[in-house]
Amino acid sequence: MATVPGTAPQARTELDLLIGKLDRLNRLDAADLKAIRGLPWRSSEYRSNHYLVREGDVPTHCCLLLSGYACRHKIAGDGGRQIVSFHMPGDLLDIQHLQLDRADHNVETITAADVAWIARSVLRRLLVDNPRIADAIWRDALIDASIFREWVLNVGRRDAKKRIAHMLCEFAARRDAAGLGSPDFFELPMTQEHIADATGLTSIHVNRMLRELTSEGVISREGRSVRITDWDLMRRVADFDPAYLHAAA
Amino acid sequence: MATVPGTAPQARTELDLLIGKLDRLNRLDAADLKAIRGLPWRSSEYRSNHYLVREGDVPTHCCLLLSGYACRHKIAGDGGRQIVSFHMPGDLLDIQHLQLDRADHNVETITAADVAWIARSVLRRLLVDNPRIADAIWRDALIDASIFREWVLNVGRRDAKKRIAHMLCEFAARRDAAGLGSPDFFELPMTQEHIADATGLTSIHVNRMLRELTSEGVISREGRSVRITDWDLMRRVADFDPAYLHAAA
DNA sequence: CGCCGACTTGAATTCCTTCAAGTACGGTGG
DNA sequence: CCACCGTACTTGAAGGAATTCAAGTCGGCG
């Protein structure tokens, strides 16, 4: 878990994913880029299944995922886990802590991951001084909320196969929009248990449904790699309409 | 559906609920109050089950609920409806349209309601000019997102009785926090079908679970009025912890 | 080479849905 | 005033999607 102070500008290509994302949300100018690149932050490496934030924490820093994958989740009274979002490199994991003092959910790595920590106060100042960045980040937070709404629909009103297919579509579409690779073929970072906890199912049933999606020719699999063999069919099976992601046209 | 231009300050007690809510989220000063009271808006009355915003719309105005109740919902491909939030007087119903151009869900009245419409551009200017108001509104939006996360958990990982009980707890707690009345006894504005569509169940099963909650002495009912007879038991049955509402201590 | 986590498969069970009636209530018009 | 109607609510029985329980396989790693 080496800690690297980020000082030299040329060492900060890690921020390029975030900058690209914010620029897509709201066109940034040179001053904005300079402000982001000048942010003081320190990064740490973590193994898979490491808690970055725990429910109840009073965070002093916000975290940015530089590499690897993470999720946010809540634990029910009976111990059941509900994953509420998946995250990929370039995502801010807990931007709500700019305004809310206490964490209402957990943030945990799924794979090994590099995370940049930025002080809350520094980030707040950045937003006050750079309205374009502020707008971009608020848009990001509001899209986050839109995704939660779609997840409520997914878990509340779709059957198991559609839920899983929809989750795969969303992962592919967001990955594509973030410039992280093709939406047709990709390696899933999450286990079938992660998928189960995100879709409100058991991992056993996820396994069966993935099998069915495969046998029906919607996807093909090799290990954790997935190929969406028929996107047209997939969209129908998953009831997937990417409008809720509010990705730039 | 009479339309009343809001011009005379003394006619604007309708805004007091919103002002109270924002002040609770982030202490406002006299200038803030003046700015809010000076907002140009027009209000309309609507019957129950009236669409205020439709998925796909490009809204020019944001709406504020002055009286009555409303919900936001999405429709699945098979026609199933998923309600993603309930709203009460004083709530801004679609603040995300400050930043996002296209509605990703519907907003519909549950009861007869008075709604104030405020132009997007006017609201944006208000937030730029009044940072305290901006912070309050962003906090509100982030709490909204927190509630969505809890709903994902509710629908994904709790059984039918817990889901319904949790929804009742949330309604009571938010109503109480907004100063709209006691959390122990209240009239539900929504039908059992609304409850079903919010919890991912059928109205038939909602009916049976309400019956069970009643026979177990957790609640008592008369028409649509509900009394929570044993809050301690209710919290346990519902797996309810109000921390996610981020209500001021 | 043996162990552990992730994945796979089958059978029994359960919670919730679907289907099918029927009741209660408020509003409307004859 | 009351018959009529529509909406919301209630109840029972049958069916089904997903869970639970129980084994067992596969692959990577110490």
Side-chain angles (χ1 to χ4, degrees):
Chain A
M1 223 153 73
T3 294
V4 182
T7 44
Q10 66 275 17
R12 281 181 186 152
T13 52
E14 294 99 325
L15 291 182
D16 287 349
L17 276 171
L18 173 68
I19 288 171
K21 177 173 169 173
L22 295 180
D23 186 57
R24 247 173 277 122
L25 288 163
N26 194 34
R27 181 67 62 190
L28 304 181
D29 69 14
D32 297 324
L33 299 194
K34 195 175 163 208
I36 294 175
R37 291 222 166 83
L39 281 175
W41 53 277
R42 36 198 318 135
S43 76
S44 295
E45 296 173 39
Y46 299 97
R47 291 184 314 258
S48 58
N49 307 316
H50 179 91
Y51 275 81
L52 299 172
V53 180
R54 278 179 195 275
E55 188 171 342
D57 281 359
V58 179
T60 57
H61 289 65
C62 289
C63 47
L64 164 65
L65 195 55
L66 298 173
S67 74
Y69 291 85
C71 68
R72 298 196 268 168
H73 65 79
K74 306 189 75 152
I75 306 294
D78 66 356
R81 177 175 72 165
Q82 179 66 48
I83 292 176
V84 297
S85 67
F86 288 119
H87 292 284
M88 47 192 68
D91 283 353
L92 288 160
L93 299 180
D94 62 341
I95 202 65
Q96 70 274 2
H97 296 134
L98 275 185
Q99 291 284 350
L100 304 178
D101 292 330
R102 196 170 285 273
D104 55 64
H105 62 274
N106 308 287
V107 182
E108 189 178 351
T109 60
I110 289 177
T111 64
D114 290 313
V115 173
W117 294 93
I118 309 170
R120 228 171 97 121
S121 54
V122 166
L123 217 39
R124 290 182 73 118
R125 174 123 301 277
L126 177 77
L127 300 207
V128 169
D129 294 341
N130 305 82
R132 273 178 304 275
I133 298 177
D135 276 2
I137 285 188
W138 284 125
R139 247 171 232 185
D140 186 51
L142 291 171
I143 292 170
D144 229 43
S146 173
I147 295 174
F148 293 140
R149 288 191 287 271
E150 184 71 25
W151 280 44
V152 175
L153 169 63
N154 201 40
V155 173
R157 280 287 175 251
R158 293 196 185 106
D159 66 22
K161 196 187 291 180
K162 280 180 154 35
R163 286 185 212 181
I164 293 162
H166 193 280
M167 193 231 88
L168 293 175
C169 287
E170 180 182 304
F171 184 79
R174 286 176 55 197
R175 194 170 163 281
D176 184 34
L180 295 171
S182 158
D184 299 328
F185 181 73
F186 47 87
E187 184 168 349
L188 285 177
M190 63 285 275
T191 64
Q192 292 181 3
E193 188 156 1
H194 283 119
I195 298 175
D197 287 348
T199 51
L201 301 165
T202 58
S203 61
I204 293 163
H205 204 56
V206 167
N207 185 285
R208 289 194 246 264
M209 293 298 108
L210 284 174
R211 189 149 304 281
E212 281 193 29
L213 286 169
T214 305
S215 74
E216 290 164 5
V218 185
I219 60 173
S220 63
R221 296 187 300 149
E222 194 180 335
R224 283 195 194 163
S225 290
V226 172
R227 178 179 302 282
I228 296 179
T229 44
D230 185 341
W231 256 107
D232 216 51
L233 179 58
M234 181 58 151
R235 262 186 294 272
R236 259 178 297 132
V237 167
D239 189 20
F240 181 72
D241 173 352
Y244 74 97
L245 294 171
H246 296 274
Chain B
M1 221 153 74
T3 293
V4 182
T7 44
Q10 67 275 18
R12 281 179 185 152
T13 52
E14 294 99 326
L15 291 182
D16 287 349
L17 276 172
L18 173 67
I19 288 171
K21 177 171 168 171
L22 296 180
D23 186 57
R24 248 173 276 122
L25 288 162
N26 195 33
R27 180 67 60 190
L28 303 181
D29 69 14
D32 297 325
L33 299 193
K34 195 174 163 209
I36 294 175
R37 291 222 166 83
L39 281 176
W41 52 277
R42 38 198 316 136
S43 75
S44 296
E45 295 173 41
Y46 299 98
R47 291 185 313 261
S48 59
N49 307 317
H50 179 91
Y51 274 82
L52 299 172
V53 180
R54 277 180 195 274
E55 189 171 342
D57 281 358
V58 179
T60 57
H61 288 65
C62 289
C63 46
L64 164 65
L65 195 55
L66 298 173
S67 74
Y69 290 85
C71 68
R72 298 196 269 168
H73 65 79
K74 306 189 74 151
I75 306 294
D78 66 356
R81 176 175 73 164
Q82 179 66 49
I83 292 175
V84 297
S85 66
F86 289 119
H87 292 285
M88 47 193 68
D91 283 353
L92 288 160
L93 298 181
D94 63 340
I95 202 64
Q96 71 273 1
H97 297 135
L98 276 185
Q99 291 285 349
L100 304 178
D101 292 330
R102 195 169 288 271
D104 54 63
H105 61 274
N106 308 287
V107 182
E108 189 178 350
T109 60
I110 289 178
T111 63
D114 290 313
V115 173
W117 295 93
I118 309 170
R120 227 171 96 121
S121 55
V122 166
L123 216 39
R124 291 182 71 118
R125 175 124 300 277
L126 177 78
L127 300 207
V128 170
D129 293 340
N130 304 80
R132 273 177 305 274
I133 298 177
D135 275 3
I137 286 189
W138 284 125
R139 246 171 232 184
D140 186 52
L142 291 171
I143 292 170
D144 228 43
S146 172
I147 295 174
F148 293 141
R149 288 191 287 272
E150 184 70 26
W151 280 43
V152 175
L153 169 63
N154 201 39
V155 172
R157 279 286 176 253
R158 293 195 184 107
D159 65 23
K161 195 188 292 180
K162 280 180 154 34
R163 286 185 212 180
I164 293 162
H166 194 280
M167 192 232 90
L168 293 175
C169 287
E170 182 183 303
F171 184 79
R174 286 176 55 197
R175 194 169 162 283
D176 184 35
L180 295 172
S182 157
D184 300 327
F185 180 74
F186 47 87
E187 183 167 348
L188 285 178
M190 62 285 275
T191 65
Q192 291 181 5
E193 188 156 1
H194 283 121
I195 299 175
D197 287 348
T199 51
L201 301 165
T202 58
S203 61
I204 293 164
H205 204 56
V206 168
N207 185 285
R208 289 195 244 265
M209 292 298 107
L210 284 174
R211 189 150 304 280
E212 281 193 28
L213 286 170
T214 305
S215 74
E216 290 164 5
V218 186
I219 60 173
S220 62
R221 295 188 299 148
E222 195 180 334
R224 284 195 192 162
S225 290
V226 172
R227 179 179 301 281
I228 296 180
T229 44
D230 185 343
W231 256 107
D232 216 51
L233 179 58
M234 181 57 152
R235 263 188 293 270
R236 260 178 296 133
V237 167
D239 189 18
F240 181 71
D241 174 352
Y244 74 96
L245 294 171
H246 296 273

